Amino acid sequence: MSVLTLRLAGPLQSWGASARFTRRTTEPAPTKSGVIGMLAAASGIERGDDAALVSLGALRFGVRIDQPGTRVRDFQTAHHRVSGTSMPLSERFYLADAVFVAALEGDGALLAALHAALRAPVYPPFLGRRSCPPARPVELRLYDGVSLDQALTDEPWQAAPWYSRQRRREATVTLVVLREADEDEHDANFQRDQPLSFAAEHRRHALRTMVSRTVDIPNPAAASRHPRHDPFDALEESA
């Protein structure tokens, strides 16, 4: 097994697992359907190609919340392209200044192809919606012979410098990991973001299991701090 890790960072992100009428919400972390859709777009897989989506949907998914961001709300207006009539006012939610590490576990050859596709994408990646481009390259690295849990533990903290400095007194930071449950884990929740089809006329998603765990990650901002200086230390040494 191999694991591909991704850095999802941008001014705005929006990961909707459900939408009703004119209210488009966002989950607090990237959804599996959103990340798989980004990988499918980078690989040039068309929306109606459900067969090509099967192997991507079979990948085991997890995400680490490195910088939770702030939930913001936006109102949008639109007009019908043909008739010119006004459409209902829509309410849309985003995550501002958030950073996540997403990881996918599965066949090494498939993940290597996805890694290469992100470096030269057929369609550009976006963070949940087309209006949300990434601020930095999405691909991080490809691990061989490492589990999903281990990759999400080993990957360095990806928070922005201004955010990590706020926690410079902590040698390690405790981060939340949301991942697909193992068979022996019975405290799982369910989320409808397992992609079955991205076809515009019949988008379909199934339920998948999800557990919440925490990992402790070294804080590079704390490691770079200068040692404490006490002027009385010199007096004690001379005594």
Side-chain angles (χ1 to χ4, degrees):
M1 283 292 180
S2 299
V3 177
L4 174 64
T5 55
L6 314 173
R7 175 179 50 218
L8 306 176
L12 292 175
Q13 305 185 37
S14 187
W15 306 96
S18 63
R20 292 186 60 82
F21 308 109
T22 59
R23 182 179 173 87
R24 304 296 177 92
T25 60
T26 179
E27 296 295 321
T31 58
K32 184 175 183 178
S33 59
V35 174
I36 293 297
M38 180 178 62
L39 294 171
S43 303
I45 298 174
E46 299 298 330
R47 282 189 172 275
D49 192 351
D50 296 348
L53 185 61
V54 172
S55 59
L56 272 64
L59 296 170
R60 189 162 175 254
F61 176 73
V63 62
R64 194 181 75 194
I65 303 176
D66 284 30
Q67 185 174 321
T70 304
R71 191 167 178 259
V72 296
R73 181 174 60 177
D74 182 38
F75 293 99
Q76 296 187 10
T77 60
H79 291 80
H80 195 278
R81 184 173 57 182
V82 177
S83 64
T85 57
S86 297
M87 305 295 288
L89 181 69
S90 64
E91 184 180 25
R92 304 195 178 195
F93 292 85
Y94 299 86
L95 298 174
D97 294 327
V99 181
F100 305 97
V101 171
L104 299 111
E105 180 187 72
D107 177 71
L110 173 60
L111 292 175
L114 294 174
H115 191 211
L118 287 172
R119 293 183 171 184
V122 176
Y123 300 107
F126 51 87
L127 306 179
R129 292 192 186 136
R130 290 194 181 95
S131 59
C132 302
R136 291 184 281 175
V138 172
E139 77 281 354
L140 279 174
R141 73 195 76 230
L142 185 63
Y143 293 87
D144 290 321
V146 171
S147 68
L148 185 75
D149 283 329
Q150 193 62 50
L152 288 171
T153 302
D154 292 346
E155 194 63 55
W157 194 24
Q158 299 295 318
W162 66 265
Y163 183 82
S164 60
R165 284 195 296 269
Q166 294 178 3
R167 304 181 66 176
R168 60 186 178 273
R169 298 183 182 277
E170 304 172 46
T172 61
V173 290
T174 300
L175 305 176
V176 174
V177 168
L178 304 172
R179 60 160 174 81
E180 294 186 25
D182 295 326
E183 292 183 358
D184 59 346
E185 293 179 309
H186 303 295
D187 59 339
N189 294 316
F190 294 91
Q191 185 164 309
R192 190 175 293 278
D193 66 345
Q194 175 67 37
L196 300 177
S197 176
F198 288 131
E201 63 275 13
H202 59 82
R203 294 185 185 184
R204 292 182 293 119
H205 299 82
L207 291 173
R208 71 176 179 94
T209 60
M210 183 176 66
V211 295
S212 177
R213 300 289 184 261
T214 58
V215 294
D216 293 326
I217 308 295
N219 183 357
S224 63
R225 292 174 61 199
H226 296 291
R228 182 186 64 87
H229 173 66
D230 188 343
F232 290 102
D233 289 345
L235 297 176
E236 293 178 359
E237 291 176 1
S238 61

